[in-house]
Amino acid sequence: MERRVKLKTINPHITCKICGGYFIDATTVTECLHTFCKSCLVKHLEEKKTCPTCDNIIHQSHPLQYISFDRTMQDIVYKLVPKLQEDESRRERDFYKSRNMPCPKDITQNHEDDNEKVMDAHAESDFHRLDEQVNVCLECISNNFKNLQRRFIRCSSQATITHLKKLVAKKILNGIEKYREIDILCNEELLGKDHTLKFVYVTRWRFRDPPLRLQFRPRVEL
Amino acid sequence: MTSLDPAPNKTWELSLYELQRKPQEVITDSTEIAVSPRSLHSELMCPICLDMLKKTMTTKECLHRFCSDCIVTALRSGNKECPTCRKKLVSKRSLRADPNFDLLISKIYPSREEYEAIQEKVMAKFNQTQSQQALVNSINEGIKLQSQNRPQRFRTKGGGGGGGGGGNGNGAANVAAPPAPGAPTAVGRNASNQMHVHDTASNDSNSNTNSIDRENRDPGHSGTSAASAITSASNAAPSSSANSGASTSATRMQVDDASNPPSVRSTPSPVPSNSSSSKPKRAMSVLTSERSEESESDSQMDCRTEGDSNIDTEGEGNGELGINDEIELVFKPHPTEMSADNQLIRALKENCVRYIKTTANATVDHLSKYLAMRLTLDLGADLPEACRVLNFCIYVAPQPQQLVILNGNQTLHQVNDKFWKVNKPMEMYYSWKKT
């Protein structure tokens, strides 16, 4: 199933002609598709305007605009040559460590982490203020429960029936964990716990005037 | 293969390491590497025909590689873009032959016929294994679903919130008996169907388990999350100050706009006439709502509430007013002047923190009068005689532990610009002064 190949036979296709080593950050001239290391090619183009292999002129004034990262070739090199990627990473870290400088790749990583923190903080502060709002009137239809002191609610249309049950449980049963003992109905029809108020409004109160009138009662065991 | 090619005008700056980098030594001894077809498949594969590249052609813009015949056929059929990343690819002039890549492939796989033979052998073995596994999975899934069906039916009869329809998800889904095993294709199809049913059942049980865990782990947290989604006209004041911070926007109360004289507006409102006409309706709705709270049995008042409100107009007006004119407040008692032994605080108990959403044109005097009226209504007979006539001083907290007393004729817009500036509900404090 696997095929054994000598690296000696493959080396001419995965080595840089400028430095003689394997490709590191393989970069290809887009016109003639010759590949070199990024650092070797950029240094070469600072002095000359031609491809090191075929001597064709890349561009008269801006040759750097006609080269591109060749990620496919770099992946092939890393997979063919054993331990090349680890060795290169270790060399880079040792270089920056010996000079007491942070590694640029680590800096990039930390910057991304900071962005994530900012986004998290921003996400927490929304509280559904900008959502579409729906007006609800909650009424009691049982003698076992007392009425809510304030029956009118304005909340996000993404709130679900479970949220309303928890609110009623907190107000009437003195404990939000008892929300399972409450049923909420609309037009004398029992509502599912995961229905959003938008869904309830659109399916059961579309042609009536607001507020959406919901009734609650103790849960009935069937 | 994920391509993140840089923009054409990107600067090719070299880092310090790259400026002095030493080349990696080439391995020149007789070292051999084991090349598995699977490991290099994603690099040496044509994305169009999913086979090994033949006569490689590379796009100039994004350096993606395809077979010559495949990419020419794709361009001829009218797709003027790279099949991998959809960058513009007008014609064959944007392609370049890549002989170096072809030579590399020929060094790794000298014999293409041998490679294809290996591929066919792998596929045949895979098909055989897949067929047997599909049969075993089908039998196991059938047994599982049968055993799960009996307890669910019993539970449905015994309890649960069934009946009445309305999209209740409490009923158990009916599971058909597994069919007899037949041809491999038929077995595969049935297995996938049963897998779908099983996933649905497991999702239900998973959601139930998650709900129970959430309740047991942290009841306070679930309270906060529930409160954060609901805006209510009632007072919701948690007993501890930490919780009150968490539920700052849990409940809101509409302040009556009718009490705001037109002359107080310092800037003409940019709201168009349609929205301005909706404001009196909403004010009337709030008035009617508050009145109906006092006499809940008055059905005529409820009809007026329904008739006066219009959710579409209110939605539009609210959307525009919310951006320009509305402001949220959190009212707390003054930490020193209204301490725990104060008469009013004892009477208010847990209702001493109030959440208000009102127009930014309201003044501090309006807030003071509103607080006096509201507390009189809430407490009613419980209010001590000495506190019947209430007057309040209003403070704002630009920094923690720093309270600034506010002038009576300042509007909330000016207070927000001068002291708060943060996109959060404005924290205000009230203290009581006897007339």
Side-chain angles (χ1 to χ4, degrees):
Chain A
M1 193 163 171
E2 289 185 345
R3 181 181 187 81
R4 303 195 67 85
V5 181
K6 287 180 185 297
L7 264 178
K8 198 160 38 179
T9 61
I10 299 178
N11 282 341
H13 306 291
I14 57 176
T15 52
C16 176
K17 308 247 178 329
I18 300 173
C19 68
Y22 289 115
F23 290 138
I24 301 297
D25 292 336
T27 305
T28 296
V29 182
T30 55
E31 196 60 41
C32 55
L33 295 183
H34 290 131
T35 307
F36 310 93
C37 300
K38 173 192 171 187
S39 53
C40 303
L41 185 57
V42 171
K43 286 176 194 170
H44 173 84
L45 293 180
E46 285 172 1
E47 305 163 4
K48 301 179 181 178
K49 304 288 188 283
T50 57
C51 174
T53 298
C54 58
D55 259 351
N56 289 331
I57 294 178
I58 299 173
H59 194 262
Q60 286 291 343
S61 53
H62 301 293
L64 289 175
Q65 293 185 11
Y66 294 86
I67 63 177
S68 184
F69 276 120
D70 196 343
R71 291 175 189 271
T72 303
M73 185 61 76
Q74 189 63 62
D75 288 341
I76 291 171
V77 172
Y78 280 158
K79 286 183 178 177
L80 286 177
V81 184
K83 299 189 178 60
L84 178 66
Q85 195 168 14
E86 297 88 359
D87 189 37
E88 183 66 21
S89 296
R90 200 193 72 251
R91 283 194 189 186
E92 186 166 2
R93 274 198 297 273
D94 291 348
F95 173 82
Y96 285 113
K97 185 184 291 183
S98 65
R99 285 161 176 75
N100 288 326
M101 296 170 66
C103 194
K105 293 178 181 176
D106 295 345
I107 292 175
T108 306
Q109 192 75 29
N110 292 334
H111 187 62
E112 290 172 1
D113 292 343
D114 291 341
N115 283 338
E116 287 182 4
K117 290 178 183 176
V118 174
M119 291 178 66
D120 288 346
H122 182 265
E124 288 172 5
S125 65
D126 181 54
F127 294 117
H128 294 274
R129 276 196 198 93
L130 302 178
D131 287 356
E132 183 183 11
Q133 303 282 301
V134 66
N135 300 321
V136 180
C137 173
L138 278 169
E139 300 166 321
C140 180
I141 55 172
S142 169
N143 295 325
N144 298 331
F145 283 167
K146 59 183 179 181
N147 278 304
L148 287 170
Q149 194 174 357
R150 289 178 178 78
R151 298 178 293 156
F152 296 94
I153 294 166
R154 200 165 81 116
C155 59
S156 167
S157 59
Q158 295 182 35
T160 61
I161 297 297
T162 300
H163 290 123
L164 293 186
K165 289 182 179 180
K166 289 180 176 177
L167 177 77
V168 173
K170 185 175 181 180
K171 295 295 178 185
I172 290 178
L173 302 179
N174 294 322
I176 206 168
E177 63 274 4
K178 300 178 182 174
Y179 70 96
R180 285 191 183 82
E181 303 174 11
I182 297 168
D183 276 343
I184 291 186
L185 303 90
C186 181
N187 306 331
E188 299 180 351
E189 186 179 2
L190 201 64
L191 299 176
K193 64 182 170 68
D194 291 322
H195 290 169
T196 60
L197 294 184
K198 171 95 175 184
F199 174 79
V200 173
Y201 191 90
V202 167
T203 55
R204 291 166 174 82
W205 209 263
R206 184 197 292 262
F207 303 109
R208 308 191 193 195
D209 293 328
L212 166 66
R213 305 184 77 89
L214 303 176
Q215 297 89 33
F216 64 91
R217 69 181 186 193
R219 192 175 72 153
V220 176
E221 300 286 342
L222 299 179
Chain B
M1 181 193 301
T2 304
S3 75
L4 296 172
D5 288 329
N9 54 358
K10 180 188 174 183
T11 56
W12 292 85
E13 296 178 359
L14 298 176
S15 62
L16 279 178
Y17 173 70
E18 286 169 335
L19 286 172
Q20 59 84 52
R21 189 176 59 82
K22 303 294 189 301
Q24 292 277 355
E25 291 296 329
V26 176
I27 296 169
T28 53
D29 56 6
S30 63
T31 303
E32 286 188 344
I33 50 173
V35 179
S36 170
R38 192 170 301 216
S39 66
L40 284 173
H41 187 246
S42 59
E43 277 80 21
L44 305 182
M45 176 192 72
C46 172
I48 300 175
C49 66
L50 305 184
D51 208 344
M52 195 181 293
L53 288 160
K54 287 195 283 276
K55 288 189 285 181
T56 306
M57 298 287 274
T58 303
T59 61
K60 286 169 60 179
E61 189 70 30
C62 48
L63 292 185
H64 289 129
R65 294 175 167 90
F66 310 95
C67 300
S68 175
D69 295 340
C70 299
I71 190 63
V72 168
T73 303
L75 289 178
R76 195 175 295 151
S77 65
N79 299 317
K80 303 298 182 184
E81 58 190 15
C82 174
T84 301
C85 65
R86 298 194 179 183
K87 282 193 176 177
K88 194 178 178 185
L89 191 63
V90 176
S91 65
K92 285 178 64 178
R93 279 175 291 168
S94 300
L95 299 166
R96 288 286 179 274
D98 201 347
N100 187 51
F101 213 83
D102 288 328
L103 288 174
L104 178 62
I105 293 172
S106 66
K107 290 292 175 62
I108 297 174
Y109 299 113
S111 174
R112 188 174 290 267
E113 289 78 12
E114 183 181 340
Y115 171 80
E116 289 175 357
I118 292 172
Q119 290 288 91
E120 288 177 3
K121 199 181 299 181
V122 170
M123 286 301 292
K125 198 177 296 183
F126 181 74
N127 284 333
Q128 188 179 4
T129 309
Q130 186 72 14
S131 178
Q132 289 180 358
Q133 285 180 0
L135 183 60
V136 172
N137 287 338
S138 171
I139 295 171
N140 288 334
E141 293 303 327
I143 294 171
K144 278 185 192 174
L145 292 173
Q146 278 181 354
S147 62
Q148 283 182 10
N149 200 21
R150 294 196 202 90
Q152 283 178 2
R153 282 180 184 167
F154 178 77
R155 202 184 316 135
T156 301
K157 288 179 181 177
N168 265 335
N170 291 326
N174 289 327
V175 179
T185 305
V187 169
R189 194 187 306 121
N190 291 325
S192 68
N193 288 337
Q194 290 169 11
M195 186 66 67
H196 176 72
V197 174
H198 181 65
D199 287 341
T200 304
S202 68
N203 284 338
D204 289 340
S205 61
N206 283 340
S207 67
N208 290 332
T209 306
N210 290 335
S211 179
I212 293 167
D213 287 346
R214 244 192 332 262
E215 286 299 304
N216 293 333
R217 192 185 307 116
D218 193 357
H221 181 267
S222 70
T224 303
S225 72
S228 69
I230 293 175
T231 304
S232 168
S234 62
N235 288 327
S239 57
S240 66
S241 61
N243 284 338
S244 72
S247 63
T248 49
S249 73
T251 57
R252 297 190 177 97
M253 186 181 294
Q254 283 285 319
V255 175
D256 191 355
D257 286 335
S259 67
N260 182 19
S263 62
V264 174
R265 294 169 189 252
S266 59
T267 306
S269 174
V271 180
S273 61
N274 288 333
S275 297
S276 66
S277 69
S278 72
K279 191 180 285 188
K281 284 187 178 179
R282 203 179 63 197
M284 191 176 294
S285 173
V286 173
L287 270 174
T288 311
S289 300
E290 290 195 355
R291 221 174 292 158
S292 65
E293 286 174 14
E294 300 168 19
S295 61
E296 291 165 351
S297 62
D298 195 341
S299 61
Q300 192 173 3
M301 200 68 64
D302 291 342
C303 293
R304 254 186 70 185
T305 302
E306 288 174 347
D308 289 337
S309 300
N310 187 342
I311 192 166
D312 291 332
T313 304
E314 189 168 357
E316 291 173 2
N318 186 49
E320 298 184 28
L321 290 174
I323 296 168
N324 298 323
D325 281 345
E326 283 196 333
I327 196 165
E328 293 182 34
L329 310 172
V330 180
F331 260 105
K332 300 173 181 175
H334 196 286
T336 55
E337 296 185 19
M338 305 275 279
S339 54
D341 57 350
N342 189 272
Q343 276 180 332
L344 189 61
I345 296 300
R346 278 206 305 271
L348 282 169
K349 298 188 188 68
E350 70 275 4
N351 293 326
C352 56
V353 179
R354 308 185 81 93
Y355 304 89
I356 295 169
K357 185 174 184 180
T358 182
T359 174
N361 292 320
T363 62
V364 174
D365 276 341
H366 291 135
L367 293 182
S368 183
K369 290 194 179 93
Y370 170 76
L371 274 178
M373 178 194 69
R374 191 77 235 169
L375 296 181
T376 306
L377 286 175
D378 285 347
L379 298 175
D382 296 336
L383 195 63
E385 190 65 34
C387 307
R388 283 305 165 98
V389 181
L390 295 170
N391 280 290
F392 289 95
C393 292
I394 309 294
Y395 302 80
V396 73
Q399 306 291 335
Q401 309 305 323
Q402 178 196 355
L403 300 180
V404 177
I405 193 166
L406 294 174
N407 196 7
N409 53 14
Q410 280 181 298
T411 62
L412 294 182
H413 191 69
Q414 294 166 0
V415 173
N416 190 51
D417 284 349
K418 190 175 178 184
F419 296 106
W420 198 244
K421 298 191 182 69
V422 186
N423 193 17
K424 283 201 301 183
M426 190 156 47
E427 290 194 5
M428 299 188 121
Y429 295 84
Y430 62 92
S431 71
W432 170 45
K433 63 187 178 185
K434 200 175 293 184
T435 305

